[in-house]
Amino acid sequence: QPKSKFGDALRQFVADTLEHVLNEGVDDPADRVTVETEPALKVDIRIKKSFGFLEFASHAAATMALAALTTSTDGGTLVPPPPSTGGDSAPKPPTELVGTVLRWAKGEEKKSNNKRPKTNKDYMEALGLKRKHFPADARTDCWFCLASSTCEKHLITGVHDTCYSTMPKGPADPGHVLLVPVAHSNQGTWTMGDKGGNEILELKDKIREHASKVYDKDMFIFERAIDTRGGYHTHVQCIPIPRGVAPDLQKVMLAHANASGFDLRPIQSDLGLTTLLSEDDRYFYAEVATDLQVNRFLYKLAENDDAQTTTDGKRRPRVPLQFGREVVASVLKKPELAHWKSCVVDKEQEAEMAATLRESLSEYTS
């Protein structure tokens, strides 16, 4: 078939897919982002004899397109979109695009007046986020050690043999739960075994069931098992997410990871995480869990690979401290969820929220 027909079909399909991803959950047509109103969605194409080049307005847009079209930020063969669970259905590839393979290519250097993302701030804005900066907290001891004077015990929702559950300060959802080992440790949960890890993993599944039955929601579970400047006490975050957003959350998470400079990948095998990790490993792990399936993702740091240099010469972690929340904030189009300090309420309201969650969870975790 003519190259121009194929190229036009591919370019339009990619642009429609990007537009769909960015407008997921937007009900009011006036709020929709379109290629006519947003230059960041523009897609161009150059077709050669047996291959071609797609050109995007930003690296973040290209990454998001690859994740949406092939389920991998590395690229691959176009895959059909998952069945629609309501709202606008995802664009389906025309027949002539079946079998098309998309891969990264080094683009040509061009002089252009268009501003292209170069810094992490640019990438965040391309994903619909703006990272806020708050004053450093004055607390110096561990927030999660029960014996600590700074541990906010009014947030605790359950104490078990080797771990406890708690509503975090500034929750992203009324059912947001942290699972924390009682003994102070910076070891990743999935490598802790009977030192707290096994019980946390059992509770994780019960909290997932609670979110499904009580809130009618799926679950985003993640652990950033990476030391922080102020010290790290192991904990796993469990955030309920609306039904149907799991595919988009996965796409945004992979795109955000790529833009942040770390190689988060889906776990394709059935191997348990204890097989893939050793006791000393530093990692970021995520589960996107629905009633039908659990998709797992892992990034494992190489030795001495906990930071990188940005374009301004500063050092920053490869995995942003608020990475998981930033993904949720982007998908739900609620920027305030990206940082817990934007969601803090007064202590009286915290206590009421925690008491409600504690009572609701007790039926599932006792």
Side-chain angles (χ1 to χ4, degrees):
Q1 60 182 303
K3 292 188 294 183
S4 59
K5 181 180 177 181
F6 175 85
D8 289 344
L10 180 59
R11 183 197 60 76
Q12 188 62 53
F13 174 59
V14 173
D16 289 346
T17 299
L18 271 177
E19 187 173 314
H20 170 75
V21 171
L22 289 178
N23 288 294
E24 186 75 18
V26 177
D27 298 323
D28 189 344
D31 293 333
R32 291 182 66 86
V33 179
T34 67
V35 69
E36 288 77 19
T37 60
E38 178 51 69
L41 293 179
K42 185 178 179 182
V43 180
D44 291 322
I45 192 167
R46 292 182 289 124
I47 296 293
K48 303 296 183 180
K49 287 185 178 181
S50 59
F51 61 93
F53 297 94
L54 285 165
E55 297 178 340
F56 296 84
S58 70
H59 186 275
T63 301
M64 186 175 292
L66 274 184
L69 295 167
T70 70
T71 71
S72 171
T73 56
D74 291 331
T77 304
L78 287 179
V79 297
S84 175
T85 56
D88 295 339
S89 58
K92 296 182 179 179
T95 303
E96 61 266 30
L97 300 185
V98 173
T100 301
V101 176
L102 302 178
R103 299 289 186 192
W104 287 101
K106 185 176 181 180
E108 296 177 356
E109 293 292 332
K110 289 186 177 182
K111 292 183 179 180
S112 171
N113 292 326
N114 293 332
K115 184 179 179 181
R116 294 178 178 269
K118 294 181 180 180
T119 67
N120 187 256
K121 177 182 177 182
D122 295 321
Y123 287 128
M124 291 288 290
E125 291 178 352
L127 290 171
L129 297 171
K130 184 176 181 181
R131 188 166 289 151
K132 292 184 177 181
H133 297 280
F134 295 88
D137 200 283
R139 291 183 274 194
T140 56
D141 54 350
C142 180
W143 295 14
F144 294 126
C145 284
L146 294 177
S148 169
S149 60
T150 58
C151 178
E152 305 211 26
K153 298 178 180 62
H154 65 289
L155 300 178
I156 292 175
T157 57
V159 179
H160 307 275
D161 292 336
T162 58
C163 69
Y164 68 92
S165 63
T166 181
M167 185 186 82
K169 202 166 182 68
D173 181 272
H176 187 171
V177 175
L178 302 187
L179 298 175
V180 189
V182 172
H184 184 93
S185 173
N186 67 349
Q187 185 178 338
T189 299
W190 271 262
T191 68
M192 290 181 69
D194 58 10
K195 292 185 291 184
N198 292 340
E199 189 173 40
I200 286 178
L201 300 186
E202 291 176 5
L203 281 171
K204 168 183 70 73
D205 292 336
K206 293 177 181 178
I207 287 171
R208 174 187 165 194
E209 180 186 9
H210 169 264
S212 179
K213 292 183 177 179
V214 175
Y215 302 121
D216 190 28
K217 289 186 175 184
D218 295 327
M219 184 67 79
F220 180 40
I221 298 162
F222 59 91
E223 180 184 26
R224 185 187 181 278
I226 302 170
D227 292 327
T228 58
R229 184 172 55 185
Y232 174 71
H233 186 133
T234 302
H235 61 278
V236 174
Q237 303 221 27
C238 305
I239 303 179
I241 55 174
R243 301 284 196 197
V245 307
D248 286 328
L249 187 143
Q250 292 171 180
K251 296 167 191 173
V252 170
M253 179 170 63
L254 291 172
H256 187 15
N258 186 279
S260 298
F262 68 97
D263 190 19
L264 181 66
R265 290 177 176 267
I267 299 176
Q268 305 289 3
S269 72
D270 293 329
L271 292 174
L273 213 58
T274 54
T275 306
L276 302 174
L277 294 170
S278 63
E279 184 175 319
D280 296 328
D281 278 336
R282 305 287 86 194
Y283 61 85
F284 177 86
Y285 172 74
E287 291 181 3
V288 183
T290 70
D291 284 348
L292 299 178
Q293 63 182 0
V294 177
N295 291 329
R296 304 181 300 156
F297 302 82
L298 177 66
Y299 165 64
K300 186 166 64 172
L301 275 72
E303 190 175 356
N304 299 322
D305 190 28
D306 60 346
Q308 66 179 2
T309 303
T310 60
T311 53
D312 59 4
K314 296 180 180 179
R315 302 282 285 178
R316 64 173 171 83
R318 283 190 183 275
V319 184
L321 193 60
Q322 304 297 330
F323 177 80
R325 292 188 62 131
E326 287 169 357
V327 170
V328 172
S330 177
V331 172
L332 300 186
K333 296 179 173 58
K334 295 181 177 180
E336 69 276 8
L337 299 182
H339 200 292
W340 66 269
K341 288 187 178 181
S342 296
C343 303
V344 172
V345 296
D346 62 55
K347 189 170 183 178
E348 182 178 353
Q349 188 175 350
E350 282 181 342
E352 291 177 359
M353 292 171 65
T356 300
L357 181 57
R358 185 183 307 119
E359 182 178 358
S360 180
L361 280 172
S362 63
E363 181 182 345
Y364 295 84
T365 60
S366 297

